Amino acid sequence: MNKIRVLVADDHTLVRLGVHQILSLEEDMMLVGEAANGEECLEKMKALSPDVTLIDANLPDMDGINALRRLKEIDGNAKAIILTFQDRLGCLYEASNSGADGYIVKDSNRDTLVQGIREVYEGGTYVHSSHYQGKEIELSTIRSDVSLLCGQRCESLTEREYEVLTLLADGFINRSIAEALYISEKTVKNHLSSIYRKIKVSGRVQAAIFAYRHNIRNLEYDH
């Protein structure tokens, strides 16, 4: 029997150990490598050619989404699942937009992880998120939900812009937004300029009012 070869990238030793223990109980799976950061993940991926790579959404040197994008640039056929503690719609949108084959919240049980790995290995996609509990959902369709959440004026917003708008509505100043999303204040300002133009408002106050009217601030962000 050919085993599913899995690489896990996570900066928490206990998480990597947990994945190793789970896979060791499955006859059709094996852990072929571990990485503690994004650069190491990319190096191991190139050296080991795993069937499925599990990537933590918050790696210390680069976020998991950027690591995923770079992995897909190296090998467009590489299969990857994003793992996250923070079950945020923004992260789910970005994972979808960046080519993730799966998205699993870390407090899921072992059967969820095993099922996700198998489905992704077989060419499918797998989502386990509180935002889609009890629903069958394809990752490729998640992007369209932005327009459903706040109407056509949000349809052209990127996932990152949607996150910025949500944090603005929650009262975050630019510096706090930058810290929450691990980006620079200059990048935040650029996103805000784009947001104002797309939703047709003249500034921060009107953008916040727009967000409240469309219930945007109800998304869950840890801050």
Side-chain angles (χ1 to χ4, degrees):
M1 175 191 296
N2 290 329
K3 292 193 174 186
I4 303 173
R5 304 172 71 255
V6 180
L7 169 68
V8 58
D10 197 295
D11 61 321
H12 293 95
T13 303
L14 287 177
V15 172
R16 299 198 306 272
L17 178 61
V19 170
H20 182 273
Q21 291 177 336
I22 289 171
L23 299 187
S24 68
L25 298 174
E26 302 301 320
E27 292 184 355
D28 62 338
M29 296 182 186
M30 64 183 294
L31 187 69
V32 296
E34 300 178 19
N37 57 58
E39 289 295 345
E40 188 179 6
C41 172
L42 295 172
E43 291 172 5
K44 292 284 182 71
M45 188 275 293
K46 288 187 284 187
L48 301 172
S49 299
D51 297 311
V52 178
T53 301
L54 307 177
I55 307 176
D56 178 23
N58 293 297
L59 294 172
D61 58 338
M62 70 175 80
D63 64 53
I65 300 299
N66 284 330
L68 170 64
R69 290 187 183 119
R70 289 182 58 185
L71 187 154
K72 291 289 186 174
E73 288 173 0
I74 294 170
D75 181 0
N77 295 317
K79 295 181 173 65
I81 296 172
I82 289 291
L83 303 179
T84 180
F85 274 125
Q86 300 177 353
D87 189 15
R88 305 181 309 179
L89 273 173
C91 181
L92 183 53
Y93 293 145
E94 285 203 276
S96 169
N97 200 44
S98 301
D101 302 283
Y103 178 96
I104 297 176
V105 180
K106 286 185 179 180
D107 64 2
S108 304
N109 59 39
R110 62 177 299 277
D111 291 339
T112 295
L113 179 63
V114 169
Q115 182 183 353
I117 291 172
R118 287 199 180 110
E119 291 198 15
V120 166
Y121 173 72
E122 292 170 0
T125 60
Y126 188 82
V127 176
H128 188 271
S129 164
S130 62
H131 300 292
Y132 289 92
Q133 219 164 26
K135 299 178 183 178
E136 292 294 327
I137 188 74
E138 290 289 330
L139 269 168
S140 60
T141 68
I142 291 174
R143 177 65 183 89
S144 63
D145 286 0
V146 172
S147 61
L148 296 178
L149 287 167
C150 60
Q152 291 184 344
R153 286 168 73 181
C154 279
E155 193 169 18
S156 61
L157 292 180
T158 66
E159 287 78 10
R160 179 63 86 192
E161 288 169 350
Y162 195 85
E163 284 192 305
V164 170
L165 180 57
T166 303
L167 294 175
L168 180 152
D170 278 347
F172 281 53
I173 61 175
N174 288 4
R175 183 177 69 253
S176 299
I177 294 174
E179 291 173 354
L181 299 179
Y182 304 99
I183 57 179
S184 69
E185 285 190 59
K186 181 180 179 181
T187 300
V188 171
K189 291 178 181 178
N190 290 338
H191 283 315
L192 288 173
S193 295
S194 178
I195 291 167
Y196 299 157
R197 175 173 47 79
K198 289 179 178 180
I199 65 175
K200 297 180 172 61
V201 299
S202 60
R204 194 180 199 91
V205 174
Q206 287 188 13
I209 292 171
F210 174 89
Y212 274 97
R213 284 177 175 171
H214 291 84
N215 212 26
I216 292 173
R217 70 185 305 274
N218 281 351
L219 294 183
E220 296 178 9
Y221 284 89
D222 293 336
H223 47 268

mmCIF file of all heavy atoms in Angstrom, residues 85-105:
data_model
loop_
_atom_site.group_PDB
_atom_site.id
_atom_site.type_symbol
_atom_site.label_atom_id
_atom_site.label_comp_id
_atom_site.label_asym_id
_atom_site.label_seq_id
_atom_site.Cartn_x
_atom_site.Cartn_y
_atom_site.Cartn_z
ATOM 1 N N PHE A 85 -5.820 28.303 14.504
ATOM 2 C CA PHE A 85 -6.532 28.418 15.782
ATOM 3 C C PHE A 85 -7.642 29.452 15.670
ATOM 4 O O PHE A 85 -8.703 29.335 16.267
ATOM 5 C CB PHE A 85 -5.575 28.850 16.900
ATOM 6 C CG PHE A 85 -4.847 27.701 17.541
ATOM 7 C CD1 PHE A 85 -3.462 27.697 17.613
ATOM 8 C CD2 PHE A 85 -5.537 26.619 18.075
ATOM 9 C CE1 PHE A 85 -2.788 26.647 18.219
ATOM 10 C CE2 PHE A 85 -4.868 25.564 18.674
ATOM 11 C CZ PHE A 85 -3.485 25.585 18.738
ATOM 12 N N GLN A 86 -7.388 30.521 14.883
ATOM 13 C CA GLN A 86 -8.322 31.629 14.764
ATOM 14 C C GLN A 86 -9.223 31.385 13.555
ATOM 15 O O GLN A 86 -8.818 31.600 12.418
ATOM 16 C CB GLN A 86 -7.566 32.951 14.607
ATOM 17 C CG GLN A 86 -6.659 33.253 15.791
ATOM 18 C CD GLN A 86 -5.863 34.520 15.603
ATOM 19 O OE1 GLN A 86 -5.874 35.127 14.531
ATOM 20 N NE2 GLN A 86 -5.168 34.936 16.636
ATOM 21 N N ASP A 87 -10.432 30.933 13.827
ATOM 22 C CA ASP A 87 -11.354 30.567 12.751
ATOM 23 C C ASP A 87 -12.022 31.819 12.197
ATOM 24 O O ASP A 87 -13.186 32.102 12.486
ATOM 25 C CB ASP A 87 -12.399 29.583 13.288
ATOM 26 C CG ASP A 87 -13.261 28.999 12.185
ATOM 27 O OD1 ASP A 87 -12.882 29.131 11.008
ATOM 28 O OD2 ASP A 87 -14.314 28.432 12.500
ATOM 29 N N ARG A 88 -11.278 32.588 11.393
ATOM 30 C CA ARG A 88 -11.774 33.861 10.881
ATOM 31 C C ARG A 88 -12.185 33.726 9.415
ATOM 32 O O ARG A 88 -11.508 33.068 8.633
ATOM 33 C CB ARG A 88 -10.701 34.944 10.995
ATOM 34 C CG ARG A 88 -10.151 35.117 12.401
ATOM 35 C CD ARG A 88 -9.116 36.215 12.438
ATOM 36 N NE ARG A 88 -8.092 36.041 11.413
ATOM 37 C CZ ARG A 88 -7.078 36.880 11.230
ATOM 38 N NH1 ARG A 88 -6.963 37.952 11.968
ATOM 39 N NH2 ARG A 88 -6.180 36.655 10.296
ATOM 40 N N LEU A 89 -13.269 34.388 9.072
ATOM 41 C CA LEU A 89 -13.691 34.354 7.668
ATOM 42 C C LEU A 89 -12.615 34.932 6.757
ATOM 43 O O LEU A 89 -12.393 34.445 5.656
ATOM 44 C CB LEU A 89 -14.994 35.148 7.492
ATOM 45 C CG LEU A 89 -16.287 34.372 7.744
ATOM 46 C CD1 LEU A 89 -17.474 35.314 7.717
ATOM 47 C CD2 LEU A 89 -16.461 33.271 6.727
ATOM 48 N N GLY A 90 -11.933 35.985 7.211
ATOM 49 C CA GLY A 90 -10.890 36.586 6.388
ATOM 50 C C GLY A 90 -9.797 35.592 6.043
ATOM 51 O O GLY A 90 -9.322 35.527 4.907
ATOM 52 N N CYS A 91 -9.392 34.794 7.036
ATOM 53 C CA CYS A 91 -8.371 33.775 6.795
ATOM 54 C C CYS A 91 -8.881 32.716 5.831
ATOM 55 O O CYS A 91 -8.170 32.260 4.944
ATOM 56 C CB CYS A 91 -7.953 33.145 8.122
ATOM 57 S SG CYS A 91 -6.665 31.881 7.972
ATOM 58 N N LEU A 92 -10.139 32.342 5.996
ATOM 59 C CA LEU A 92 -10.745 31.347 5.109
ATOM 60 C C LEU A 92 -10.800 31.860 3.673
ATOM 61 O O LEU A 92 -10.493 31.139 2.724
ATOM 62 C CB LEU A 92 -12.150 31.007 5.612
ATOM 63 C CG LEU A 92 -12.946 29.932 4.878
ATOM 64 C CD1 LEU A 92 -12.149 28.648 4.746
ATOM 65 C CD2 LEU A 92 -14.253 29.669 5.610
ATOM 66 N N TYR A 93 -11.185 33.134 3.495
ATOM 67 C CA TYR A 93 -11.212 33.724 2.153
ATOM 68 C C TYR A 93 -9.819 33.716 1.528
ATOM 69 O O TYR A 93 -9.636 33.373 0.362
ATOM 70 C CB TYR A 93 -11.714 35.167 2.218
ATOM 71 C CG TYR A 93 -13.162 35.315 2.614
ATOM 72 C CD1 TYR A 93 -13.575 36.386 3.391
ATOM 73 C CD2 TYR A 93 -14.117 34.389 2.213
ATOM 74 C CE1 TYR A 93 -14.903 36.535 3.765
ATOM 75 C CE2 TYR A 93 -15.439 34.530 2.584
ATOM 76 C CZ TYR A 93 -15.827 35.606 3.362
ATOM 77 O OH TYR A 93 -17.127 35.751 3.739
ATOM 78 N N GLU A 94 -8.820 34.135 2.321
ATOM 79 C CA GLU A 94 -7.461 34.208 1.785
ATOM 80 C C GLU A 94 -6.914 32.833 1.449
ATOM 81 O O GLU A 94 -6.201 32.671 0.460
ATOM 82 C CB GLU A 94 -6.540 34.924 2.774
ATOM 83 C CG GLU A 94 -6.758 36.423 2.810
ATOM 84 C CD GLU A 94 -5.531 37.151 3.326
ATOM 85 O OE1 GLU A 94 -5.379 37.245 4.550
ATOM 86 O OE2 GLU A 94 -4.740 37.625 2.494
ATOM 87 N N ALA A 95 -7.231 31.847 2.281
ATOM 88 C CA ALA A 95 -6.797 30.485 1.981
ATOM 89 C C ALA A 95 -7.376 30.026 0.652
ATOM 90 O O ALA A 95 -6.684 29.459 -0.191
ATOM 91 C CB ALA A 95 -7.235 29.541 3.111
ATOM 92 N N SER A 96 -8.660 30.301 0.452
ATOM 93 C CA SER A 96 -9.317 29.947 -0.804
ATOM 94 C C SER A 96 -8.674 30.649 -1.985
ATOM 95 O O SER A 96 -8.365 30.043 -3.008
ATOM 96 C CB SER A 96 -10.802 30.307 -0.725
ATOM 97 O OG SER A 96 -11.411 30.207 -1.997
ATOM 98 N N ASN A 97 -8.445 31.960 -1.825
ATOM 99 C CA ASN A 97 -7.914 32.769 -2.917
ATOM 100 C C ASN A 97 -6.466 32.431 -3.245
ATOM 101 O O ASN A 97 -5.981 32.738 -4.326
ATOM 102 C CB ASN A 97 -8.029 34.255 -2.552
ATOM 103 C CG ASN A 97 -7.968 35.156 -3.759
ATOM 104 O OD1 ASN A 97 -8.596 34.887 -4.791
ATOM 105 N ND2 ASN A 97 -7.206 36.239 -3.655
ATOM 106 N N SER A 98 -5.765 31.800 -2.288
ATOM 107 C CA SER A 98 -4.343 31.497 -2.474
ATOM 108 C C SER A 98 -4.095 30.071 -2.929
ATOM 109 O O SER A 98 -2.951 29.649 -3.043
ATOM 110 C CB SER A 98 -3.578 31.768 -1.167
ATOM 111 O OG SER A 98 -3.722 33.115 -0.780
ATOM 112 N N GLY A 99 -5.159 29.334 -3.165
ATOM 113 C CA GLY A 99 -5.006 27.999 -3.725
ATOM 114 C C GLY A 99 -4.992 26.869 -2.729
ATOM 115 O O GLY A 99 -4.581 25.749 -3.071
ATOM 116 N N ALA A 100 -5.436 27.098 -1.488
ATOM 117 C CA ALA A 100 -5.474 26.014 -0.502
ATOM 118 C C ALA A 100 -6.432 24.916 -0.957
ATOM 119 O O ALA A 100 -7.459 25.184 -1.577
ATOM 120 C CB ALA A 100 -5.908 26.553 0.859
ATOM 121 N N ASP A 101 -6.072 23.701 -0.639
ATOM 122 C CA ASP A 101 -6.941 22.563 -0.949
ATOM 123 C C ASP A 101 -7.794 22.188 0.251
ATOM 124 O O ASP A 101 -8.767 21.442 0.125
ATOM 125 C CB ASP A 101 -6.087 21.359 -1.363
ATOM 126 C CG ASP A 101 -5.205 21.682 -2.558
ATOM 127 O OD1 ASP A 101 -5.729 21.706 -3.682
ATOM 128 O OD2 ASP A 101 -4.006 21.938 -2.350
ATOM 129 N N GLY A 102 -7.417 22.712 1.420
ATOM 130 C CA GLY A 102 -8.176 22.428 2.622
ATOM 131 C C GLY A 102 -7.968 23.492 3.675
ATOM 132 O O GLY A 102 -7.017 24.276 3.612
ATOM 133 N N TYR A 103 -8.883 23.532 4.641
ATOM 134 C CA TYR A 103 -8.848 24.510 5.728
ATOM 135 C C TYR A 103 -9.444 23.835 6.947
ATOM 136 O O TYR A 103 -10.606 23.426 6.936
ATOM 137 C CB TYR A 103 -9.668 25.738 5.332
ATOM 138 C CG TYR A 103 -9.781 26.829 6.380
ATOM 139 C CD1 TYR A 103 -8.914 27.924 6.367
ATOM 140 C CD2 TYR A 103 -10.770 26.779 7.359
ATOM 141 C CE1 TYR A 103 -9.031 28.936 7.315
ATOM 142 C CE2 TYR A 103 -10.896 27.788 8.312
ATOM 143 C CZ TYR A 103 -10.024 28.859 8.274
ATOM 144 O OH TYR A 103 -10.135 29.864 9.214
ATOM 145 N N ILE A 104 -8.636 23.668 8.010
ATOM 146 C CA ILE A 104 -9.089 22.942 9.194
ATOM 147 C C ILE A 104 -8.728 23.729 10.453
ATOM 148 O O ILE A 104 -7.586 24.155 10.626
ATOM 149 C CB ILE A 104 -8.451 21.538 9.256
ATOM 150 C CG1 ILE A 104 -8.888 20.693 8.053
ATOM 151 C CG2 ILE A 104 -8.824 20.833 10.556
ATOM 152 C CD1 ILE A 104 -8.226 19.322 7.983
ATOM 153 N N VAL A 105 -9.709 23.903 11.333
ATOM 154 C CA VAL A 105 -9.480 24.557 12.616
ATOM 155 C C VAL A 105 -8.786 23.574 13.550
ATOM 156 O O VAL A 105 -9.135 22.389 13.591
ATOM 157 C CB VAL A 105 -10.819 25.029 13.223
ATOM 158 C CG1 VAL A 105 -10.590 25.704 14.566
ATOM 159 C CG2 VAL A 105 -11.511 25.985 12.264
#
